[in-house]
Amino acid sequence: MSRFTIRTWLLISSVAIIVSSCSSIIEHGIVDAILHKSGTIIFLIIGGLFFTIFRSGIFVIEKTSNNNIIDTIRKHPMKAEDYATRLDIPYTSKLNFDRNAFQILKARIQISSNVENYRILHVHTLDEQRILIFTELSFIDYDITITGKPEDIDKKSYHNFLVQYTSSEEFKIYSNLYSNSIEKFQKEEFYKSLLTIQLS
């Protein structure tokens, strides 16, 4: 075999070995990448699924609890006073609020099905200066979906309020303690929504 033939054979063999090695590395790299990506996707989906189930469970519990409170007050109006004591966190206070304006506001709430995005579930009059308002708020939140990725999601939350007019002409709105900044904002915004009824 001539030197040229041997050199050519060695070159071809070397190239074949290099190509084979590279192909093996690339193949295993792709497989590893695919497995890693698949594992990540599966992990995100499982996490998103559990998070969605947990969030849905919390919503069902809140909805059921709120409906039970409303049903109890409808059947036993005297228990409304006890529930009102639980709404002891002030969210709005406005001085020099006109008494007639409060009476108009109270009357309109009684016949309203919603106050902007707050759906009125039930209204209970405690006395001439205090009313309980049970609401369901529809809103959009950027949260984790079942795929594990964050997206805009339609949500509902339940906020109940004690609206009071004092002898010193002060308008107050109370509710229960918020659990996060979103709830705090939603409770504080209810006053602005009430004003749309008063001004309409």
Side-chain angles (χ1 to χ4, degrees), residues 32-49:
D32 289 343
I34 291 173
L35 289 175
H36 177 72
K37 187 172 183 180
S38 298
T40 302
I41 292 173
I42 292 172
F43 177 77
L44 287 173
I45 291 175
I46 292 174
L49 179 61

Side-chain angles (χ1 to χ4, degrees), residues 91 118 137 139 159 161 178 180-192:
Y91 285 91
Y118 297 83
L137 173 64
F139 65 102
H159 299 286
F161 303 93
Y178 58 86
N180 54 53
S181 58
I182 294 177
E183 279 194 7
K184 181 176 184 291
F185 174 77
Q186 291 173 347
K187 290 178 183 297
E188 291 174 342
E189 284 295 294
F190 183 66
Y191 170 69
K192 295 179 182 178

Side-chain angles (χ1 to χ4, degrees), residues 36-127:
H36 177 72
K37 187 172 183 180
S38 298
T40 302
I41 292 173
I42 292 172
F43 177 77
L44 287 173
I45 291 175
I46 292 174
L49 179 61
F50 276 107
F51 187 82
T52 303
I53 292 173
F54 174 77
R55 185 175 61 217
S56 299
I58 293 296
F59 170 75
V60 170
I61 291 172
E62 288 181 351
K63 182 177 181 179
T64 302
S65 176
N66 204 55
N67 286 341
N68 288 340
I69 293 170
I70 293 173
D71 289 341
T72 299
I73 290 176
R74 280 175 173 162
K75 294 176 183 177
H76 309 283
M78 295 299 293
K79 292 187 177 182
E81 193 68 49
D82 178 61
Y83 180 72
T85 61
R86 304 184 209 172
L87 307 178
D88 56 353
I89 307 298
Y91 285 91
T92 302
S93 179
K94 183 175 176 59
L95 295 170
N96 300 319
F97 197 87
D98 184 69
R99 179 179 294 275
N100 289 332
F102 177 74
Q103 295 301 327
I104 293 172
L105 179 65
K106 190 170 66 170
R108 288 180 177 175
I109 289 174
Q110 296 280 358
I111 60 173
S112 297
S113 59
N114 65 282
V115 179
E116 292 194 331
N117 293 331
Y118 297 83
R119 180 184 166 212
I120 304 297
L121 300 176
H122 182 60
V123 178
H124 180 86
T125 301
L126 293 167
D127 52 46

Side-chain angles (χ1 to χ4, degrees), residues 117-119 136-140 154-157 186:
N117 293 331
Y118 297 83
R119 180 184 166 212
E136 177 187 78
L137 173 64
S138 299
F139 65 102
I140 297 176
D154 292 327
K155 289 186 177 182
K156 292 182 180 180
S157 60
Q186 291 173 347

Side-chain angles (χ1 to χ4, degrees), residues 129-190:
Q129 296 180 308
R130 296 178 305 149
I131 56 172
L132 286 173
I133 306 174
F134 296 81
T135 73
E136 177 187 78
L137 173 64
S138 299
F139 65 102
I140 297 176
D141 189 22
Y142 192 66
D143 206 344
I144 303 298
T145 65
I146 195 170
T147 63
K149 296 181 180 179
E151 294 178 10
D152 285 337
I153 302 173
D154 292 327
K155 289 186 177 182
K156 292 182 180 180
S157 60
Y158 295 90
H159 299 286
N160 303 328
F161 303 93
L162 169 63
V163 178
Q164 181 179 20
Y165 184 78
T166 68
S167 56
S168 58
E169 297 186 340
E170 186 176 7
F171 181 85
K172 293 183 176 182
I173 295 180
Y174 297 87
S175 189
N176 57 331
L177 182 64
Y178 58 86
S179 60
N180 54 53
S181 58
I182 294 177
E183 279 194 7
K184 181 176 184 291
F185 174 77
Q186 291 173 347
K187 290 178 183 297
E188 291 174 342
E189 284 295 294
F190 183 66

